Amino acid sequence: MTPVRPATPERSGRRTVAVLVRDGVLPMELGLVHQLFGTARSAAGEPLYDVRTCAPRPGRIRTDADFPIYAEHGLATVADADTVLVPASHETDESLRPGGLPEELAEALRTAAAPRGAEGTRGAVVPSGAEGTRGAVVPSGAEGTRGAAAPSGPEGTRGAAAPSGPEGARGAEGAPGHRPTRDPRRIASICTGSFVLAAAGLLDGSRATTHWMSADLFARTFPSVTVDPGVLYVDEGRILTSAGEAAGIDLCLHMIRRDHGAAVAAEVARRTVVPPHREGGQAQYIQRPVESERLTSTSASRAWALTRLAEPLTLAELAAHDAMSVRTYSRRFREETGLTPIQWLTQRRVDRARELLEQTDHTVDRIAAEAGFGTGASLRAHFQAGLGVPPGAYRSTFRGTGREGDRVGT
C-alpha cells in the first residue's frame, strides 16, 4: 500500500492538532479536545491551535451515541500534524492486537510520531521504558520505574508525570526542550485510544496508562508495554497516554501548559470551568464505601491553604482547619488527592511561582516569599526538582519580557 504522505497546507503560527476519530468514537472525548485546545489564546487574543477532526476515511463517522459526526480531514492531516489525539472507540479498541491496524493508518501514526524530516521512517520513535519491566502492570507510583508517577524530589515533589521518552528532556512541563516550536511532534491517547497507539507499535518498551477497567487486558495484549493502571496520564515525551474521559481533560491541559505555560493553561481551565491542574500521578479513582459521603473532606483546608501559600503552613494547622487528627487528615488527604499534604502544598507553591514568573518582573527572592518558599535558594531547589528546569530558563521560555535587571537567576 502506498505510504501516507504528509499534507503541506499553508502554515500559520498555530500548532495543528489532529483528532483521529473512528466509528464508535466517544463524543465527549472528541468535544473536550476541541473545547480545550480551541479556547487557548495568546496574550493578544489569537488562537494558539488549529484543531482538525480526521478519520481514516473522511466522511460520516458513527459515535457511541445516537448521532453521527462528519470528519472532513483524512490521514494526510494526521501525518502532518504537530499533535495527534486519539480518543477511544469502544467498538474496536479492545479487540486490537499488535500489528492489527490497517497499514495505512499505522503508517500515518508512525509518520506523525517521527521527528520532522524523518517522515515515513518506520519505527522512528523508540520510547525508553523501564528495563526489566516489559509487560508488567506496575503499581501507581512504583519506586524505581523510569518516569514513574511517584514524586521523588525535595519533600517528594518531583514532577508527577515527568517525560522520560525519546526527546531526552529532563523533567516536566516548561523544560527548555519543550519550548514552543513546530517540532518535536507528539501523539496522545485518551482512555482506550492507547490500544491504537500500542497496535501501531508506538508504545513498545515504554510506560503507558489506559482506563483502569481495561488495564489488565491491555497488559496481556501488549506485553512490550509497561502499564500503570492507577495514574491519570503518562508523559513519555513524544508519546502520551491518559485514562478515562476526565483524565483526557487533565492531559490536554498538561500539553497546553507544556507548550505555552501555566498562565495560558489556567485561562483555558477557567473558561472551561475545570480544575487548572491535576498531576498525572494522581489516582484515577478512589474506591470508598457507600456511606463515605458523610465523611469529612479535606477540600475546605485545601481551599483555605490556597489563599495562604505565602505563610509557613504546617500539617497540624491544615488538619485542625478540618477538625481532624493529623493521622486521619493525612490518610483522607491522600485518598482524595493521591498526594501527601506536604507534596500537594509544595506543588501548589510551585504553580504560584510559575504564574509569577510568567506574569511579573519580580526577583527570585520576592517570588520565593510570595509563593511560600521563603528563600530564593529554596525556590530554585523545588522548581528544579519539580519541573527539571531553573526559574530563569522557565521565565525565558514562557515570557522572556522581564527587565534585564530583574531577571531570575538560574
Side-chain angles (χ1 to χ4, degrees):
M1 184 174 293
T2 303
V4 175
R5 301 299 181 189
T8 55
E10 181 180 351
R11 292 196 176 276
S12 66
R14 307 176 191 173
R15 286 176 173 235
T16 302
V17 177
V19 192
L20 176 63
V21 298
R22 297 152 295 131
D23 283 333
V25 66
L26 279 62
M28 177 180 176
E29 295 186 5
L30 171 61
L32 70 86
V33 176
H34 280 270
Q35 173 68 22
L36 296 169
F37 285 98
T39 56
R41 295 289 187 271
S42 69
E46 295 296 324
L48 294 171
Y49 298 95
D50 180 10
V51 187
R52 304 176 184 180
T53 303
C54 308
R57 293 288 182 272
R60 186 179 185 274
I61 304 294
R62 295 193 311 275
T63 71
D64 76 338
D66 64 347
F67 57 86
I69 61 171
Y70 182 85
E72 182 176 351
H73 305 281
L75 293 180
T77 300
V78 171
D80 191 52
D82 299 301
T83 295
V84 176
L85 266 295
V86 183
S89 168
H90 294 328
E91 282 190 19
T92 59
D93 287 349
E94 294 188 340
S95 65
L96 289 172
R97 298 296 181 265
L101 290 180
E103 182 56 29
E104 188 177 18
L105 173 56
E107 186 67 22
L109 293 173
R110 287 192 288 263
T111 299
R116 278 198 198 281
E119 284 89 349
T121 304
R122 298 173 63 91
V125 175
V126 185
S128 54
E131 293 300 326
T133 59
R134 296 171 70 85
V137 177
V138 298
S140 175
E143 290 298 323
T145 304
R146 183 175 182 185
S152 59
E155 298 188 46
T157 57
R158 188 179 177 92
S164 60
E167 285 184 65
R170 180 181 181 275
E173 325 95 34
H178 294 149
R179 181 184 296 273
T181 60
R182 304 236 43 103
D183 196 47
R185 295 187 289 174
R186 63 194 173 194
I187 292 187
S189 63
I190 301 174
C191 195
T192 57
S194 55
F195 281 73
V196 177
L197 304 191
L202 297 178
L203 299 179
D204 290 350
S206 70
R207 179 170 160 267
T209 193
T210 191
H211 194 287
W212 63 270
M213 293 180 67
S214 303
D216 286 341
L217 174 62
F218 188 90
R220 292 194 305 270
T221 305
F222 302 102
S224 62
V225 183
T226 299
V227 185
D228 189 338
V231 299
L232 295 177
Y233 59 82
V234 172
D235 181 341
E236 289 281 281
R238 289 193 188 278
I239 312 295
L240 305 92
T241 52
S242 69
E245 290 95 332
I249 296 174
D250 299 303
L251 177 63
C252 290
L253 288 173
H254 169 73
M255 290 191 287
I256 294 169
R257 191 179 304 110
R258 254 179 53 171
D259 292 344
H260 299 290
V264 171
E267 180 59 27
V268 171
R270 281 192 291 269
R271 286 174 177 266
T272 316
V273 196
V274 296
H277 195 181
R278 289 198 302 171
E279 294 292 343
Q282 185 167 326
Q284 285 191 29
Y285 74 103
I286 302 160
Q287 198 167 32
R288 286 183 176 170
V290 173
E291 62 271 17
S292 63
E293 65 264 18
R294 297 198 299 268
L295 298 176
T296 304
S297 169
T298 64
S299 59
S301 63
R302 280 181 274 138
W304 176 76
L306 288 175
T307 66
R308 293 165 173 79
L309 291 177
E311 300 175 16
L313 300 174
T314 67
L315 179 57
E317 288 174 324
L318 292 170
H321 190 272
D322 282 333
M324 299 184 200
S325 69
V326 169
R327 181 176 180 181
T328 298
Y329 182 82
S330 297
R331 182 180 69 252
R332 192 73 47 72
F333 199 101
R334 183 178 282 278
E335 287 175 347
E336 292 179 352
T337 69
L339 302 168
T340 69
I342 298 304
Q343 288 170 353
W344 179 88
L345 184 60
T346 304
Q347 288 180 358
R348 301 293 75 76
R349 284 172 167 157
V350 170
D351 289 343
R352 177 57 179 156
R354 290 167 68 163
E355 293 175 358
L356 293 171
L357 286 166
E358 293 178 25
Q359 299 173 3
T360 75
D361 293 327
H362 296 343
T363 64
V364 67
D365 289 331
R366 180 173 174 180
I367 290 175
E370 293 190 15
F373 288 112
T375 67
S378 177
L379 168 61
R380 288 186 181 95
H382 284 92
F383 209 89
Q384 182 77 44
L387 300 181
V389 61
Y394 184 88
R395 171 172 273 175
S396 65
T397 296
F398 291 112
R399 187 164 185 267
T401 57
R403 293 189 302 272
E404 189 64 30
D406 288 334
R407 290 194 185 278
V408 176
T410 58

